[in-house]
Amino acid sequence: NIPLGHGQVMMQPKLEARLVQALEIKPDDLILEVGTGSGFLTALLASLGKQVYSVDIFPEFAAAAQQRLSSHGLSNFTLETGDAAQGWDAHGPYDVIAVTGSLPVYSGEFQDNLKVGGRLFVITGTAPAMGAWLITRRSQDEWITESLFETEVSALLNAPQPPAFVL
């Protein structure tokens, strides 16, 4: 894991590849990325889809990613600073949502912002029991949830936490 600062690390490239593969991104897809980090995954998503909106809680991550992405000739992305741990409604609904940190408790806040046919990649749970999921919106009120694999990723800052056991 490559450190990014603020106690954050870059997602492992193998995990990013599995995320991109699972989402089956199409050239006309509108994409939300939660957690810009270094901008590497943003570049992958932008090279495959129509437009990427990426949000990160750290403004310096967005600024550094802006320079990196622009220097490589990419222009179909918008980087924003904010706390998206409990959803991000701006610019939606989306065809694709990629959440790059885990959510210890997931209550559906992202899947509601998918278009019908849209796909969401999210990692839920707490270490050591975390799972990567692909959630596809079939209709206005129906989603298909597919378990992809087990992994371990740091939680998004400010993500809802499960209740703690108290003696």
Side-chain angles (χ1 to χ4, degrees), residues 59-145:
E60 54 271 28
F61 286 2
Q66 178 74 46
Q67 290 179 338
R68 286 184 195 107
L69 294 166
S70 295
S71 73
H72 289 283
L74 294 169
S75 60
N76 61 328
F77 66 91
T78 301
L79 303 180
E80 299 177 306
T81 300
D83 184 352
Q86 297 184 39
W88 192 261
D89 294 336
H91 316 293
Y94 300 96
D95 298 295
V96 170
I97 300 174
V99 182
T100 65
S102 67
L103 297 171
V105 175
Y106 180 65
S107 58
E109 55 274 3
F110 289 101
Q111 68 194 46
D112 291 337
N113 207 8
L114 286 172
K115 295 178 184 176
V116 172
R119 288 96 51 216
L120 163 67
F121 177 91
V122 64
I123 297 170
T124 64
T126 56
M130 294 181 167
W133 300 89
L134 179 66
I135 300 171
T136 305
R137 188 169 204 164
R138 289 197 52 167
S139 69
Q140 193 62 32
D141 301 316
E142 183 183 5
W143 294 265
I144 297 172
T145 302

